[in-house]
Amino acid sequence: MSTSDKADSKTIESLQNLAHRLRILSIDATNKSNSGHPTSCCSMAEIVSVLFFNEMRYKLTAPKDPANDRFILSKGHAAPILYAAWAEAGLFPVSDLDNLRKLDSDLEGHPTPRLNFVDVATGSLGQGLGVAAGMAYVGKYLDSADYRTYCLIGDGEAAEGSIWEALNFASYYQLDNLVAIFDVNRLGQSDPTSLGHDMNTYKNRLESFGFHALVVDGHNIQELLDALAEAKKTSGKPTAILAFCKFPFINSKTFKGKYIPGIEDLEGWHGKPLGSNGPAAIEAIQKLITDLDVKPVPAAPTESNLVPVDASSIKLSDPPAYTKGDKVATRVAYGTALVKLNSDRVIALDCDVKNSTNSEKLRKIDKLRHIECFIAEQNMVGVGIGVGCRHRAIPFCSTFATFFTRAFDQIRMGAISQSNLKFVGSHAGVSIGEDGPSQMGLEDLAMFRTVPNCTVFYPSDAVSTERAVEIAARLPDMCFIRTSRPNSTVIYDNDESFEVGKAKVVKKSDDDKVLVIGACVTLEEALTASKQLAEEGVNIRIMDPFTIKPIDREGIIANAQECGGKIITVEDHYPEGGLGEAVLSAVAECPGIIVKKLAVPRIPRSGPPTALLDMFGISAKSIVEAVKSLN
Amino acid sequence: MSTSDKADSKTIESLQNLAHRLRILSIDATNKSNSGHPTSCCSMAEIVSVLFFNEMRYKLTAPKDPANDRFILSKGHAAPILYAAWAEAGLFPVSDLDNLRKLDSDLEGHPTPRLNFVDVATGSLGQGLGVAAGMAYVGKYLDSADYRTYCLIGDGEAAEGSIWEALNFASYYQLDNLVAIFDVNRLGQSDPTSLGHDMNTYKNRLESFGFHALVVDGHNIQELLDALAEAKKTSGKPTAILAFCKFPFINSKTFKGKYIPGIEDLEGWHGKPLGSNGPAAIEAIQKLITDLDVKPVPAAPTESNLVPVDASSIKLSDPPAYTKGDKVATRVAYGTALVKLNSDRVIALDCDVKNSTNSEKLRKIDKLRHIECFIAEQNMVGVGIGVGCRHRAIPFCSTFATFFTRAFDQIRMGAISQSNLKFVGSHAGVSIGEDGPSQMGLEDLAMFRTVPNCTVFYPSDAVSTERAVEIAARLPDMCFIRTSRPNSTVIYDNDESFEVGKAKVVKKSDDDKVLVIGACVTLEEALTASKQLAEEGVNIRIMDPFTIKPIDREGIIANAQECGGKIITVEDHYPEGGLGEAVLSAVAECPGIIVKKLAVPRIPRSGPPTALLDMFGISAKSIVEAVKSLN
């Protein structure tokens, strides 16, 4: 430890007093709301006090100023003490804490960006560090700024593999502007953690994962200050502060014996307000406070010229340049479009499949703008969320569509976080062929459709793929773009324009018997089917939805009504939650419209793509049969 | 290293020859299928040779005999060498390898249990070790048998957090019958791995995670034999063998200079058949083989009396014992039912929320049958899949419904693995109240509906919950049971019987204007709404679906037709992929039936449960309004 940064005793005293004050506010607020996690707050009071009133540099008038240091409370259930810290700092009245968890207050049970001082929602455990690593990556490599990122992690959530993915990522990219603080309070919700207070094992694990690891007494202000000072001086690797903490709040060294009877370090108190024990606890803690008049003032950040990315100005530098009828895989068009977006703040992330998803095209022109996340999809999504925070960049994550299932919880939380993150999933459906079911995206549309505010694109050719990428870059929320492995026929002119929620009718006549809705490989099968059927005198109308969410409700209903109220959907996806059910929801309240769904009905297998389309009932042959069955 | 187990030179020579033979078969098969991963096979040839022809004990006539040692190929893309090993061992003709990846062959791109020697499907990376840990847990603690479990892991997939969750689990439970072998060949699909050949860091990481870690030359037969012997002698902790391997196949120590030009240890060869380089490679390797006539014979396992669990005989020891009209949370009824199942092979797994999901009830009567997985949902599912393999046990995994999103990829692979695993997700929907959106299951029905062969239960009261648990235990495939946090009114008699795919009409008259379908909290709201509507002279029919997949198509259509073709669905779930769309799919081809969906339309917030049901449009009030809008 450095000794040159010894804080004066007055500073230490005031930070200790503040820590106790934060404990009292946490106990009081959770007692008033009759729910919440006071003990989980109490274990980290000194850490929060030191961070918010000594270490971190931020503008109280602008908590999300891009120049400010960042703080992520990964253990989101400790929200009350985060709220208390900002209230004590002066962002809002302390009396607002009385509204914790109430319907009309944004001081919710777990933090969300409805609050102006929260970058990302937390509450599903183990997710904060990946986000923090994304912020730190941007700070170090894109912004080249001196803001720092702090992430507070519970010891219980350190069992989540996503934490270890993030640690590996942070040390690989030498994120020395990142500090991970572990609140090792020994107790989980229902039992002690697997490591308890075994600080040596924590230290060995963190060091083996490339961190500068420091074990401190989490209730000792000086030790915390020293560790943070040492972190600042450490270059080339991130720092982990492993804080030995007591579950509720009493420092056994400093205040030995002054336990609140029945609560200190006992199991069974997770997530419970202290109730009738509250007043005694508050009284006991109050007695430890010597003086609250002297309150340290947080330091301001370095002035900076960091400007938010203006997504509205992003566009393709050149329009698509294909020849109708040529064969181009939509995954290839994705890479082409990515490179053509006219912003050096468009960032690609990938999990070691960049040569399959085609995101490597961006890496080839700018390695800093392509973040290789190795085979760790959860962390890629976390990093992506962090990269997109505070309008620093527009991140595009890519992997095989089905491997986004690995990160569904991160994606779900990303929506609550109001994240700006684009997902591009390649290798959709059985059309990938020989690699077999483990590699086939057959539930991705269902998954992304459930994500609030997520636009789901399923472009059918290279032209529409490029436009999907362009539109996604400009949208403020999460987007998913589904791409396919095989080559698809270019069906649109290069100057065709596309809109979210607007389908294209790609074939029609005055005498259509059925509306067939498909996308990409199944749209191509529908076109093949239409030729066969036309030879037999049966005309069908074919629609390309472009976006599955939102889906073009008006367009579908109007066209269906012109086709006798008969719709066939055909999708390279399982029958649940995909294109078929999106269409069903669109026409749910229209009497007289029926929908026949063609989809992959069971677990597929390895084989040639065309044989699989046939075997699983989504080829031209199946479409022809379905049309005939309705006529 | 022990020196007492030195193999004789003939054994070593024959194992080395076999390794080369397996290389040749892998290169040849992938060349014939024109796709696949020959290089990833070649790096592990000596490991496979030593395991299959010296270390492991198994009956070739019964590859899944419960007494056999277990082998999990976590790096599933190396399937060809797994197939080659079993062919060489004599399970099927070597000529079958020519059918690799063909439509009519079960020798698929990645292994699945369609093959009688595969316990679980692999191919989504990082999942094998959790499964292996589950098998080892059963072997050590439930079977008390001496079979051992081996898991071969790629170094690329070691970046997945799920690996580190499994390592933590395995050492915590002292699974000394488990050996994790890492094939450290340095190269991923698109780039070198983050650690390359840094064997020291691997060793430090594995040791810090509680493993006995041994670094060996992955192409040295003697070193591999010694390491495996040492693993057998190591008690109280699992062993990790960190094998330094070359990407394709040549041992740089032993065969220095004998590289196949242009391929050895170069990037860019992942997942590609050798094509025109194949014959030269095969010729070069062939020259290294001294003699193939002497082939070691695998040892047989210890005879055992391990009998498969007979799920068909499992039932509740006593029928449900509730009083109609009482208030009991379905999550509580889950715990009650779990304890009542009359088999000591029913196992519960939980992620530190056992006091919320109520799985702790089983722990209280039998700690060995309740596996605390700490906060690591992916690993819990992996362990559960392993526990269920070879009919050793019936595993029930529980956590908050929304946290199963963390393990969607494991669940997806579990279906391909034909797993017998039950998921019980509590805390469904906004009805949890103050904890806020991060804790609310609002996409769980959509997720589990996409899973092939997964039965999705959504019981509405304590009686039906107990029966759902009983039925799930007897079903051979995966099941999901959705439970809720608040107390629900008991609406069924204790002797009511339930069936998969059979809904209950809980209220009807001869003059019903609308069929309302809801479950649990929304069923209760529908009953409240019906009373209000009855006062205004409007009768509605109310249906409890019991299972959402399969859903009672006939029952829904018949009842809807008796209600003027009008259906209202109401669900504590997002609008996509849940109850509403399940109903829509059921009536999709019926003209004249319309469906109005009530669901949670956007990201909810913290607040009292009843206020949230109202705010998000799924309370009795909204149902009354919806009924009126249709009449």
Side-chain angles (χ1 to χ4, degrees):
Chain A
M1 292 269 169
S2 156
T3 52
S4 59
D5 304 301
K6 288 285 176 213
D8 62 80
S9 62
K10 201 70 202 163
T11 300
I12 290 185
E13 184 185 340
S14 66
L15 290 170
Q16 183 63 67
N17 284 332
L18 268 167
H20 287 315
R21 169 78 173 152
L22 297 176
R23 288 196 168 95
I24 289 172
L25 293 173
S26 303
I27 293 170
D28 190 46
T30 49
N31 252 19
K32 282 173 177 154
S33 66
N34 199 27
S35 70
H37 297 257
T39 53
S40 301
C41 293
C42 286
S43 71
M44 50 184 263
E46 280 79 14
I47 297 168
V48 171
S49 166
V50 165
L51 282 173
F52 278 78
F53 296 96
N54 186 283
E55 171 73 6
M56 281 164 39
R57 299 154 302 166
Y58 56 97
K59 296 179 193 164
L60 197 59
T61 53
K64 288 193 195 164
D65 189 284
N68 289 353
D69 287 345
R70 276 82 168 142
F71 176 74
I72 305 275
L73 179 65
S74 188
K75 49 176 285 190
H77 55 285
I81 198 164
L82 174 70
Y83 305 159
W86 282 101
E88 271 296 304
L91 185 63
F92 55 85
V94 169
S95 60
D96 282 7
L97 298 175
D98 293 350
N99 300 320
L100 179 70
R101 293 175 162 242
K102 290 195 180 144
L103 190 62
D104 52 359
S105 167
D106 287 338
L107 299 173
E108 298 190 68
H110 295 77
T112 83
R114 286 173 179 140
L115 296 160
N116 67 357
F117 54 88
V118 173
D119 285 299
V120 289
T122 48
S124 181
L125 293 169
Q127 300 197 11
L129 189 61
V131 175
M135 294 171 153
Y137 183 96
V138 171
K140 184 172 171 111
Y141 295 110
L142 298 176
D143 286 345
S144 303
D146 69 356
Y147 62 77
R148 294 173 66 74
T149 301
Y150 302 87
C151 182
L152 182 47
I153 301 157
D155 53 350
E157 66 175 322
E160 291 281 14
S162 48
I163 292 284
W164 301 90
E165 293 177 2
L167 292 167
N168 188 51
F169 177 92
S171 65
Y172 181 82
Y173 286 106
Q174 305 183 331
L175 301 179
D176 46 18
N177 54 349
L178 173 68
V179 182
I181 305 168
F182 290 78
D183 168 10
V184 185
N185 65 25
R186 195 184 74 82
L187 296 176
Q189 170 176 325
S190 68
D191 254 327
T193 63
S194 64
L195 292 182
H197 266 145
D198 178 358
M199 305 306 289
N200 270 345
T201 295
Y202 278 110
K203 188 164 195 283
N204 290 338
R205 290 188 183 182
L206 267 294
E207 284 178 348
S208 75
F209 271 75
F211 271 60
H212 183 49
L214 303 166
V215 174
V216 302
D217 176 346
H219 304 301
N220 185 307
I221 301 283
Q222 184 66 58
E223 287 190 28
L224 288 165
L225 291 171
D226 287 348
L228 288 163
E230 188 165 327
K232 268 194 180 134
K233 290 179 192 149
T234 303
S235 78
K237 54 166 66 177
T239 295
I241 298 177
L242 300 161
F244 178 101
C245 295
K246 289 285 191 166
F247 192 34
F249 46 83
I250 302 295
N251 177 345
S252 61
K253 283 188 192 166
T254 317
F255 305 104
K256 198 178 289 177
K258 293 193 183 178
Y259 303 138
I260 300 306
I263 296 174
E264 197 266 351
D265 202 32
L266 286 185
E267 299 167 27
W269 276 99
H270 181 97
K272 291 180 187 165
L274 297 196
S276 60
N277 291 296
I282 289 173
E283 191 189 332
I285 302 167
Q286 189 67 52
K287 284 184 188 158
L288 303 173
I289 297 177
T290 54
D291 180 6
L292 268 177
D293 291 340
V294 184
K295 196 188 288 182
V297 177
T302 312
E303 280 304 314
S304 80
N305 296 317
L306 300 173
V307 289
V309 181
D310 175 15
S312 69
S313 67
I314 296 180
K315 59 177 191 174
L316 295 175
S317 55
D318 301 295
Y322 300 98
T323 303
K324 255 170 132 172
D326 278 3
K327 293 277 197 177
V328 182
T330 52
R331 62 181 172 134
V332 173
Y334 163 59
T336 304
L338 192 61
V339 169
K340 283 161 70 175
L341 292 176
N342 65 334
S343 166
D344 61 4
R345 288 287 169 149
V346 167
I347 308 294
L349 302 94
D350 207 295
C351 287
D352 193 24
V353 288
K354 53 188 177 285
N355 49 349
S356 294
T357 61
N358 284 277
S359 75
E360 70 175 4
K361 290 188 181 182
L362 184 59
R363 188 177 190 87
K364 285 177 179 164
I365 63 165
D366 188 351
K367 204 170 170 188
L368 277 186
R369 285 208 286 135
H370 186 285
I371 309 178
E372 177 54 70
C373 297
F374 304 100
I375 305 174
E377 294 77 10
Q378 295 190 76
N379 187 58
M380 173 174 70
V381 173
V383 168
I385 291 170
V387 164
C389 277
R390 300 197 187 183
H391 305 287
R392 306 305 319 130
I394 312 286
F396 281 77
C397 294
S398 52
T399 186
F400 287 17
T402 200
F403 297 146
F404 279 120
T405 57
R406 196 64 157 259
F408 190 11
D409 198 26
Q410 278 77 6
I411 294 165
R412 178 183 77 86
M413 290 299 294
I416 303 175
S417 297
Q418 303 173 20
S419 297
N420 182 358
L421 181 56
K422 320 304 172 189
F423 305 94
V424 182
S426 67
H427 292 65
V430 301
S431 71
I432 70 163
E434 288 80 359
D435 269 345
S438 64
Q439 319 293 302
M440 296 169 173
L442 289 159
E443 55 292 289
D444 52 315
L445 294 174
M447 177 172 76
F448 281 104
R449 278 186 69 235
T450 69
V451 178
N453 306 321
C454 182
T455 303
V456 177
F457 296 88
Y458 188 5
S460 288
D461 80 343
V463 173
S464 51
T465 301
E466 287 203 27
R467 291 303 179 192
V469 173
E470 180 181 49
I471 295 169
R474 298 160 65 100
L475 285 171
D477 295 311
M478 301 210 300
C479 296
F480 171 63
I481 303 174
R482 183 184 224 218
T483 67
S484 296
R485 183 174 184 273
N487 288 330
S488 299
T489 307
V490 175
I491 57 172
Y492 294 110
D493 290 319
N494 286 318
D495 61 357
E496 182 84 29
S497 67
F498 293 86
E499 274 178 67
V500 169
K502 286 298 251 183
K504 300 281 182 189
V505 173
V506 297
K507 185 183 171 299
K508 72 181 287 187
S509 76
D510 294 338
D511 179 34
D512 292 327
K513 302 297 186 198
V514 180
L515 172 64
V516 177
I517 308 177
C520 206
V521 290
T522 59
L523 189 80
E524 200 145 351
E525 294 296 319
L527 288 165
T528 304
S530 74
K531 285 173 200 152
Q532 277 181 247
L533 287 161
E535 286 170 14
E536 302 177 39
V538 178
N539 287 324
I540 62 174
R541 189 164 299 184
I542 300 178
M543 178 180 273
D544 171 12
F546 186 56
T547 56
I548 309 299
K549 179 182 175 181
I551 199 153
D552 186 355
R553 184 170 175 275
E554 289 71 28
I556 290 169
I557 292 171
N559 281 282
Q561 283 167 343
E562 289 175 22
C563 298
K566 292 172 188 161
I567 299 176
I568 293 171
T569 60
V570 51
E571 58 191 313
D572 198 354
H573 188 275
Y574 286 137
E576 298 87 3
L579 170 64
E581 292 194 350
V583 169
L584 276 164
S585 276
V587 304
E589 296 183 43
C590 297
I593 295 182
I594 61 159
V595 178
K596 192 173 183 69
K597 282 197 306 183
L598 302 181
V600 179
R602 60 189 184 279
I603 294 169
R605 56 185 304 124
S606 292
T610 50
L612 295 179
L613 291 175
D614 240 23
M615 178 178 254
F616 296 100
I618 55 171
S619 68
K621 185 177 139 211
S622 300
I623 297 168
V624 167
E625 284 166 14
V627 169
K628 289 182 180 173
S629 76
L630 293 184
N631 283 282
Chain B
M1 291 272 168
S2 154
T3 53
S4 59
D5 304 301
K6 287 285 177 215
D8 62 82
S9 63
K10 200 71 202 164
T11 299
I12 291 185
E13 184 185 340
S14 67
L15 290 170
Q16 183 62 67
N17 284 333
L18 269 167
H20 287 315
R21 168 78 173 156
L22 297 176
R23 289 196 166 95
I24 289 172
L25 293 173
S26 303
I27 293 171
D28 189 47
T30 51
N31 251 19
K32 282 173 177 154
S33 66
N34 199 26
S35 70
H37 298 257
T39 54
S40 301
C41 293
C42 287
S43 71
M44 50 185 262
E46 280 78 14
I47 296 169
V48 170
S49 166
V50 165
L51 282 174
F52 277 79
F53 296 97
N54 185 282
E55 171 73 6
M56 281 164 39
R57 298 155 301 166
Y58 56 95
K59 296 180 193 164
L60 196 60
T61 52
K64 287 192 194 165
D65 188 285
N68 290 353
D69 287 344
R70 276 79 168 143
F71 175 74
I72 305 275
L73 180 66
S74 188
K75 49 175 286 193
H77 55 283
I81 198 166
L82 175 69
Y83 305 159
W86 281 102
E88 272 295 305
L91 185 63
F92 55 85
V94 169
S95 59
D96 282 6
L97 297 175
D98 291 353
N99 299 321
L100 178 70
R101 291 174 163 244
K102 290 195 181 144
L103 190 62
D104 52 1
S105 166
D106 287 336
L107 299 173
E108 298 191 70
H110 295 77
T112 83
R114 285 173 180 140
L115 295 160
N116 67 356
F117 55 88
V118 173
D119 285 298
V120 290
T122 50
S124 182
L125 293 169
Q127 300 197 10
L129 189 60
V131 176
M135 293 172 156
Y137 184 95
V138 171
K140 184 174 170 107
Y141 295 111
L142 298 177
D143 286 344
S144 303
D146 69 355
Y147 62 76
R148 295 173 64 75
T149 300
Y150 302 87
C151 182
L152 182 48
I153 302 157
D155 53 352
E157 66 176 321
E160 291 281 15
S162 47
I163 292 285
W164 302 90
E165 294 177 1
L167 292 168
N168 189 50
F169 176 92
S171 65
Y172 181 81
Y173 286 106
Q174 306 183 332
L175 301 178
D176 45 18
N177 54 350
L178 173 69
V179 181
I181 306 168
F182 290 78
D183 168 10
V184 185
N185 65 27
R186 194 182 76 82
L187 296 176
Q189 170 175 326
S190 68
D191 253 327
T193 64
S194 64
L195 292 183
H197 266 145
D198 179 357
M199 304 307 290
N200 271 344
T201 295
Y202 278 109
K203 188 164 194 285
N204 290 338
R205 290 189 183 181
L206 266 295
E207 284 177 347
S208 75
F209 270 75
F211 271 61
H212 182 51
L214 303 166
V215 174
V216 302
D217 176 345
H219 305 302
N220 185 307
I221 301 283
Q222 183 67 57
E223 287 191 26
L224 289 165
L225 291 171
D226 287 348
L228 289 163
E230 187 165 328
K232 269 194 181 136
K233 290 180 192 148
T234 303
S235 78
K237 55 167 64 179
T239 295
I241 298 177
L242 301 160
F244 178 100
C245 295
K246 290 287 191 166
F247 192 36
F249 48 82
I250 302 295
N251 177 348
S252 61
K253 284 186 192 166
T254 317
F255 304 106
K256 198 178 290 178
K258 294 192 182 176
Y259 304 139
I260 300 306
I263 295 174
E264 198 268 347
D265 203 32
L266 286 184
E267 299 166 29
W269 276 99
H270 181 96
K272 291 180 187 164
L274 296 196
S276 60
N277 290 295
I282 289 173
E283 191 189 333
I285 302 166
Q286 190 66 54
K287 284 182 187 159
L288 303 173
I289 297 177
T290 55
D291 180 6
L292 268 177
D293 290 340
V294 184
K295 196 188 292 184
V297 178
T302 312
E303 279 306 311
S304 80
N305 296 318
L306 299 173
V307 290
V309 182
D310 175 16
S312 70
S313 66
I314 295 180
K315 60 177 188 173
L316 296 176
S317 54
D318 302 294
Y322 301 97
T323 303
K324 254 171 137 174
D326 277 2
K327 293 277 198 177
V328 183
T330 52
R331 61 179 172 135
V332 173
Y334 164 58
T336 303
L338 192 61
V339 169
K340 283 160 69 173
L341 291 174
N342 65 335
S343 165
D344 62 3
R345 288 289 168 147
V346 167
I347 308 293
L349 302 94
D350 206 295
C351 287
D352 194 23
V353 288
K354 53 187 177 285
N355 49 349
S356 295
T357 60
N358 284 277
S359 74
E360 69 175 3
K361 290 189 182 184
L362 185 59
R363 189 177 188 86
K364 284 176 180 165
I365 61 164
D366 188 350
K367 204 170 170 187
L368 277 186
R369 284 207 286 135
H370 185 285
I371 310 177
E372 176 54 72
C373 296
F374 303 101
I375 306 175
E377 294 78 9
Q378 294 190 75
N379 187 59
M380 173 174 68
V381 173
V383 168
I385 291 170
V387 165
C389 278
R390 301 197 187 182
H391 306 288
R392 306 303 322 128
I394 312 285
F396 281 77
C397 294
S398 52
T399 185
F400 286 17
T402 200
F403 297 146
F404 278 121
T405 57
R406 196 64 157 261
F408 190 11
D409 199 24
Q410 278 77 7
I411 295 166
R412 177 182 78 84
M413 290 298 295
I416 303 175
S417 296
Q418 303 172 20
S419 296
N420 181 0
L421 181 56
K422 319 304 170 188
F423 305 94
V424 182
S426 67
H427 292 66
V430 301
S431 71
I432 70 162
E434 286 80 1
D435 269 345
S438 63
Q439 318 294 302
M440 295 169 174
L442 290 159
E443 56 292 286
D444 51 315
L445 293 175
M447 177 172 75
F448 281 104
R449 278 186 69 234
T450 68
V451 178
N453 307 322
C454 182
T455 303
V456 177
F457 296 87
Y458 188 4
S460 287
D461 79 343
V463 173
S464 51
T465 301
E466 288 203 28
R467 291 303 179 192
V469 173
E470 180 180 49
I471 295 168
R474 297 159 66 99
L475 286 170
D477 295 312
M478 301 210 301
C479 297
F480 172 61
I481 302 173
R482 185 183 221 217
T483 67
S484 296
R485 182 174 184 273
N487 289 330
S488 299
T489 307
V490 175
I491 56 173
Y492 293 110
D493 292 319
N494 286 318
D495 61 357
E496 182 85 29
S497 67
F498 293 85
E499 274 179 65
V500 169
K502 286 299 248 184
K504 300 280 181 190
V505 174
V506 297
K507 186 184 170 300
K508 72 181 287 186
S509 76
D510 293 339
D511 179 36
D512 292 327
K513 302 297 185 197
V514 179
L515 172 65
V516 177
I517 308 176
C520 204
V521 290
T522 59
L523 189 80
E524 198 144 353
E525 294 296 318
L527 288 164
T528 304
S530 74
K531 286 173 199 150
Q532 277 181 245
L533 287 162
E535 285 170 14
E536 301 177 39
V538 178
N539 287 323
I540 61 174
R541 188 164 301 185
I542 300 177
M543 178 180 272
D544 171 11
F546 186 57
T547 55
I548 308 301
K549 180 182 176 180
I551 199 154
D552 186 357
R553 185 171 176 274
E554 289 70 27
I556 291 169
I557 292 171
N559 280 282
Q561 282 167 343
E562 289 175 23
C563 298
K566 293 171 189 164
I567 299 176
I568 293 171
T569 60
V570 52
E571 58 191 313
D572 198 355
H573 188 276
Y574 286 136
E576 297 86 4
L579 169 65
E581 292 194 348
V583 169
L584 276 164
S585 276
V587 303
E589 295 183 44
C590 297
I593 295 182
I594 62 159
V595 179
K596 191 173 183 71
K597 280 198 307 184
L598 302 182
V600 178
R602 58 188 185 280
I603 294 169
R605 58 185 303 125
S606 293
T610 51
L612 295 179
L613 291 175
D614 240 24
M615 179 177 252
F616 296 99
I618 55 170
S619 68
K621 187 177 139 210
S622 300
I623 296 168
V624 168
E625 284 167 13
V627 169
K628 288 181 179 171
S629 78
L630 293 184
N631 283 284

